[in-house]
Structure formats: C-alpha cells, structure tokens
Amino acid sequence: MRAVTKCYRTKSSLNLCFERERRRSCSRQGVAMTDWELWACANQLRKQHGNDALEVAGKRLDAMLEADDREGYWVWCQIMTRISKLGPVVPEGTTAN
C-alpha cells in the first residue's frame, strides 16, 4: 500500500490508475478501465521506473493476488502486458539495436 500512497501524493497521471483501483477494490462495483487508461498507466510506470517498471508492476500484481482481488489482479496483468509491449527504455543519446 505504500506505493499507492506515494503515487497519490505525487499527483502523477498514475494517480488515476491507483485511485480507480482503490475505489473498485473498496466498492466492488467493477468499474472497468479503458484501454487508453491502461496504456497511460503502463507509460507512467515506465517513465517513473524505467526498465524496472515490469518488476514494480509485478509487485502490485502479487499484492492483488495475496489480497484475493481478482479485478485488481486483472488490471495489473493488463498493465504488465502493455509494459512488455513497450519494450526496454533506451537512454537518450543512444540507439536501439
């Protein structure tokens, strides 16, 4: 939960993802995230954590599994899939092979 609080305090666009996940987990209304929102979350995690974004998302995925939060688990599976599709972060001034 610390990562959620930290992200919420930074007022980043990832707040929407975490806040929406938190509300859905609390209310169990099952509000679906759009494809655009899932991509925005993946991009923001990648900007914040670089090549560690997949590992960070994996930790959130594990937390959802431990909490038996199936909807949250699905969301983080979708985010992880999008992060992997984005590929590795290439530092500025270098070229990808």
Side-chain angles (χ1 to χ4, degrees):
M1 284 305 227
R2 174 170 273 167
V4 173
T5 304
K6 182 179 178 187
C7 289
Y8 191 74
R9 287 184 186 154
T10 63
K11 301 287 185 192
S12 69
S13 62
L14 194 55
N15 294 345
L16 174 64
C17 304
F18 288 133
E19 181 62 20
R20 205 169 198 174
E21 175 191 332
R22 185 189 65 75
R23 277 186 278 144
R24 187 172 54 253
S25 296
C26 295
S27 68
R28 291 288 181 211
Q29 292 177 353
V31 177
M33 292 179 71
T34 66
D35 188 54
W36 184 91
E37 290 171 320
L38 292 167
W39 278 107
C41 290
N43 271 318
Q44 188 61 35
L45 274 170
R46 196 163 167 253
K47 284 180 186 176
Q48 287 181 333
H49 301 286
N51 291 325
D52 294 330
L54 206 52
E55 182 180 339
V56 172
K59 289 178 183 177
R60 294 295 301 153
L61 184 71
D62 290 341
M64 296 295 111
L65 187 61
E66 287 178 23
D68 196 28
D69 184 346
R70 293 178 184 174
E71 293 170 7
Y73 182 83
W74 181 86
V75 167
W76 283 98
C77 281
Q78 297 300 310
I79 292 171
M80 285 184 71
T81 299
R82 284 160 177 77
I83 291 170
S84 65
K85 286 181 180 181
L86 290 171
V89 175
V90 179
E92 288 185 31
T94 62
T95 58
N97 293 330

